[in-house]
Amino acid sequence: MDEIAPGILHWQARHPKIGIDVSSYWLPGLKLLLDPVATPDKVEQVEHILLSCRHHVRDSLEAAERFGATIEAPRTGMHEYGEDTPIQPYDFGEPLIGGAVTAHQVGGLSPDETALHIPSLSALSVADGAIRYGEDLHFVPDQYMDDPAKDKADLKRGFGELADQLEFDVLMLAHGKPYPSGGREALRRFAAS
């Protein structure tokens, strides 16, 4: 686990279902985990777990039990879970964690593709629309898209709007290496590519 920027700790662990390393984040000042998988023993005092899309349950149920934390996911993806789920819905535009985080719908890929904006840490977290295995941002493989041309165009439009409208420097990705700085410009370049 590495502190990639003040107040943001990042780690990667192998996802048990897809067999590749994915990223998770701990924001201790907010008592928040984002998209947790294989949560390290060093993590403590977590009250909130946010999922950036319905597919990122990962190890959040175990982490919620360990810490006595709440789990929230986009309302548009709640159909994925059973009626007895402990996962609670959040809505786009809704202030989360006492206003410290705001959820934004990205568009493309899926109706619950979310970006979580955390102004106090100058950070933005994105779900699956942009990944970074290598130096630059890229899309998930076409096989994970319903309509690759349309989904890519919608994602680029959504990411471009977020990069224009929101202030952030750190870009946290659920898949691949984060940008400890320069994330807004990287997302802007990706949207314009």
Side-chain angles (χ1 to χ4, degrees):
M1 186 165 50
D2 298 309
E3 187 169 32
I4 60 167
I8 302 175
L9 289 99
H10 164 257
W11 73 94
Q12 288 190 315
R14 187 153 305 272
H15 191 292
K17 291 183 182 173
I18 60 176
I20 60 170
D21 285 348
V22 296
S23 290
S24 301
Y25 303 87
W26 176 37
L27 287 54
L30 298 178
K31 300 181 178 180
L32 170 63
L33 284 176
L34 296 176
D35 296 328
V37 65
T39 304
D41 292 339
K42 292 180 183 179
V43 174
E44 58 186 15
Q45 296 182 352
V46 172
E47 294 179 2
H48 313 278
I49 299 170
L50 292 178
L51 309 182
S52 58
C53 76
R54 71 184 183 275
H55 299 300
H56 289 181
V57 174
R58 299 176 174 181
D59 294 334
S60 63
L61 297 171
E62 293 86 348
E65 186 174 319
R66 172 178 158 191
F67 298 111
T70 60
I71 309 171
E72 293 179 83
R75 183 178 304 278
T76 51
M78 292 299 292
H79 62 276
E80 187 90 356
Y81 315 128
E83 289 183 17
D84 60 344
T85 183
I87 301 171
Q88 301 169 15
Y90 64 72
D91 294 306
F92 299 120
E94 178 183 348
L96 306 170
I97 309 176
V101 179
T102 302
H104 296 269
Q105 186 173 30
V106 175
L109 202 57
S110 68
D112 60 314
E113 179 68 22
T114 305
L116 298 167
H117 186 223
I118 308 159
S120 66
L121 297 174
S122 188
L124 186 74
S125 171
V126 299
D128 294 337
I131 65 176
R132 186 178 179 218
Y133 294 98
E135 286 307 307
D136 299 317
L137 292 172
H138 50 277
F139 293 111
V140 296
D142 287 358
Q143 69 194 42
Y144 297 112
M145 297 184 180
D146 292 332
D147 182 343
K150 181 183 183 311
D151 287 346
K152 289 175 185 177
D154 288 346
L155 287 166
K156 285 182 177 185
R157 184 180 60 252
F159 287 140
E161 290 172 0
L162 292 171
D164 288 343
Q165 296 168 7
L166 303 176
E167 292 288 333
F168 64 95
D169 189 36
V170 180
L171 181 60
M172 299 179 288
L173 304 161
H175 296 275
K177 298 184 304 186
Y179 284 88
S181 65
R184 185 179 185 188
E185 288 310 311
L187 194 62
R188 185 175 278 133
R189 284 192 308 273
F190 181 57
S193 66

